[in-house]
Amino acid sequence: MKFIHTADIHLDSPLNGLSAYPDAPTEQLRSATRDAFSALVARAIEEAVDFMVIAGDLYDGSWRDYNTGIFFCREMGHLKRAGIPVYVLFGNHDAESEMTKKLELPDNVHTFSANKPQTFKIEDLAVALHGQSFKQRDITSNLVTGYPPPIAGYFNIGVLHTALEGYATHATYAPCTINELQAKGYQYWALGHVHEFEQWSGATTIVFPGNLQGRNVRERGRRGAVLCSVDEVGDVVVERIFIDILRWEQLTIDATDCDTLEDVVRKIGQGLEALLDTDGEVPRAARISVTGKTKAHGELFGLEAQLRQEVLAQIAGIGNERLWLEKVRIETQPKVDAAKLHERNDAFTDLQAILNEAATDGDFNEALRAVLAPFAAKAPLDLQPLVPLIEQIRKGDLKELIDDVAPGLLAHLAQAE
């Protein structure tokens, strides 16, 4: 038999911070979660799978309107006509308490109860699926202990939305351990909640499929679901299937050997072309970080906006229908040794001393905050949580900003000299 295991679809998830990027493919980004799910349904029909498992966070919280639910019903209708049942467990984002709107689902869709563990049997395949949906968002107890023992003679699948152990970047909902899952005696655990693919093999196969579609630059690289094939003796082969409609990438450019801004731009262009050489049909959204101790550091100082335009010109030449620039970050360091500048005992030495004192000078910090306050006030609401500097301006805590600017300013002046 074959089945598809997916999780963390987050249908119609809002995309924060887009107002910061006027050239963003907004409509493509907004429809990406739907388009990816439609592609998964089409793949399920093409593969003629026996069933599909959705291990939590199908939705991203209560719908803004009923269109999200109507879209899901339509996709489930496609699977119904193909004779494919679907088993849905609700996680922290679509917990019973989170969903204020609901629709009657097609009868090929089976949802796990939030009150206690529930078992669905597929008699002709001798498959038993065990699971419990979240009743409220913050389930912090171990749900595995309440799951029933495996049914003899059946292929037992545990469906669970969990942080598991060791995933500090995810909220610790329904925590449990690998050993506990193995000890349950099921043949397969279909997990959700962690957005990265992970697999453990043994007597029990345990899988996080990762999320179906990356929604921001923190969810980088290929995304999708897993196609599981089970032979007559119950051995499982797990195949990753990549469904993402738009892929987020981190491109790091080492500018150590660059002398000028033009050298950096040229190297970025080469990096972007190499990025598209791998699976180039999938559009990419790239964040570029320029690093290294470089002679170009002084020339790059304060030129993020210009560098972005230069990179956009490179992308236009490559073919911007396949590539979008999310952000350029300048993280270079000067080749000029700050200690040697200090030894010069001239105007550079005086400037360095002034900058060192400025970071802790209350009057200077307040004057700087007053200059920057209008900028912070004009920042769009959806952008503010993504830019720590805005909160620092509001609090008047600008030491980090001054510490960041000082080395670049010194390097820029030294190079100009």
Side-chain angles (χ1 to χ4, degrees):
M1 69 173 179
K2 292 192 295 186
F3 66 92
I4 280 179
H5 164 206
T6 186
D8 302 291
I9 296 158
H10 295 278
L11 279 178
D12 293 342
S13 171
L15 294 158
N16 295 322
L18 284 181
S19 59
Y21 314 113
D23 54 327
T26 307
E27 290 309 312
Q28 186 178 16
L29 287 167
R30 291 196 191 286
S31 65
T33 55
R34 287 194 183 197
D35 292 343
F37 190 65
S38 294
L40 182 67
V41 167
R43 182 67 179 269
I45 295 170
E46 176 188 336
E47 295 282 350
V49 300
D50 293 286
F51 57 92
M52 180 186 288
V53 178
I54 301 176
D57 288 357
L58 165 63
Y59 304 121
D60 197 65
S62 191
W63 314 327
R64 291 186 296 275
D65 53 49
Y66 281 96
N67 286 322
T68 304
I70 292 169
F71 167 79
F72 179 66
C73 287
R74 183 173 67 245
E75 295 301 322
M76 293 301 96
H78 296 324
L79 293 178
K80 178 180 178 178
R81 289 186 286 278
I84 300 173
V86 182
Y87 298 88
V88 180
L89 180 143
F90 295 116
N92 55 294
H93 278 275
D94 44 20
E96 190 175 280
S97 62
E98 292 288 306
M99 300 301 295
T100 59
K101 301 182 179 73
K102 293 183 180 179
L103 291 171
E104 189 71 24
L105 297 172
D107 59 12
N108 65 318
V109 181
H110 311 277
T111 60
F112 289 98
S113 169
N115 296 320
K116 61 180 182 179
Q118 183 177 6
T119 299
F120 291 108
K121 291 182 180 180
I122 309 176
E123 297 289 359
D124 58 333
L125 296 174
V127 169
L129 298 103
H130 316 279
Q132 181 176 352
S133 292
F134 278 31
K135 195 170 189 65
Q136 65 269 354
R137 181 185 180 96
D138 53 343
I139 296 287
T140 55
S141 58
N142 186 340
L143 296 179
V144 173
T145 56
Y147 276 43
I151 299 175
Y154 278 68
F155 186 86
N156 292 268
I157 300 174
V159 187
L160 178 67
H161 202 72
T162 176
L164 207 54
E165 57 182 348
Y167 286 93
T169 57
H170 291 76
T172 54
Y173 296 141
C176 61
T177 67
I178 293 292
N179 289 338
E180 287 173 320
L181 297 181
Q182 295 279 6
K184 205 68 186 182
Y186 297 167
Q187 284 79 17
Y188 185 91
W189 277 99
L191 305 184
H193 185 54
V194 174
H195 287 195
E196 301 298 327
F197 171 80
E198 195 78 51
Q199 178 180 346
W200 296 263
S201 299
T204 300
T205 302
I206 304 168
V207 176
F208 280 115
N211 59 337
L212 197 61
Q213 169 62 53
R215 297 168 300 152
N216 53 58
V217 76
R218 292 186 296 277
E219 298 175 345
R220 298 191 291 270
R222 297 189 294 179
R223 301 277 154 172
V226 293
L227 174 65
C228 300
S229 302
V230 185
D231 65 16
E232 293 82 356
V233 296
D235 289 337
V236 183
V237 175
V238 177
E239 175 192 351
R240 292 189 72 186
I241 52 177
F242 299 108
I243 300 295
D244 47 350
I245 303 301
L246 182 141
R247 192 167 296 159
W248 300 81
E249 303 279 11
Q250 170 73 54
L251 179 62
T252 301
I253 301 297
D254 183 1
T256 301
D257 58 350
C258 296
D259 293 338
T260 65
L261 172 66
E262 289 74 17
D263 293 340
V264 173
V265 171
R266 195 175 302 113
K267 198 164 187 180
I268 290 173
Q270 294 167 354
L272 291 171
E273 287 183 341
L275 190 67
L276 289 178
D277 283 344
T278 305
D279 198 6
E281 295 304 311
V282 179
R284 311 297 176 90
R287 171 175 289 185
I288 298 171
S289 297
V290 184
T291 63
K293 282 192 172 184
T294 172
K295 188 176 178 181
H297 177 80
E299 191 172 344
L300 291 170
F301 173 67
L303 294 181
E304 287 92 342
Q306 180 179 337
L307 184 58
R308 179 179 178 85
Q309 298 306 315
E310 295 279 6
V311 175
L312 287 173
Q314 292 283 315
I315 289 173
I318 295 168
N320 55 3
E321 71 281 354
R322 295 184 298 151
L323 192 59
W324 169 62
L325 178 63
E326 187 260 357
K327 183 182 290 185
V328 180
R329 303 180 83 168
I330 298 174
E331 298 172 348
T332 54
Q333 295 177 324
K335 278 194 171 180
V336 178
D337 189 336
K340 289 183 178 179
L341 286 177
H342 185 71
E343 292 169 1
R344 292 171 51 149
N345 194 29
D346 59 9
F348 278 100
T349 311
D350 295 339
L351 178 59
Q352 193 169 36
I354 291 169
L355 289 170
N356 289 339
E357 293 172 4
T360 55
D361 185 324
D363 291 340
F364 178 77
N365 269 262
E366 181 55 35
L368 184 59
R369 190 199 68 79
V371 171
L372 295 175
F375 155 77
K378 291 177 182 177
L381 289 175
D382 67 337
L383 178 63
Q384 291 177 14
L386 307 177
V387 182
L389 175 60
I390 295 175
E391 187 61 25
Q392 292 169 18
I393 292 170
R394 290 205 175 110
K395 291 180 178 178
D397 181 14
L398 298 174
K399 181 180 185 303
E400 184 177 336
L401 173 63
I402 297 167
D403 288 343
D404 285 345
V405 166
L409 177 59
L410 290 167
H412 179 67
L413 292 173
Q415 182 167 315
E417 182 200 39

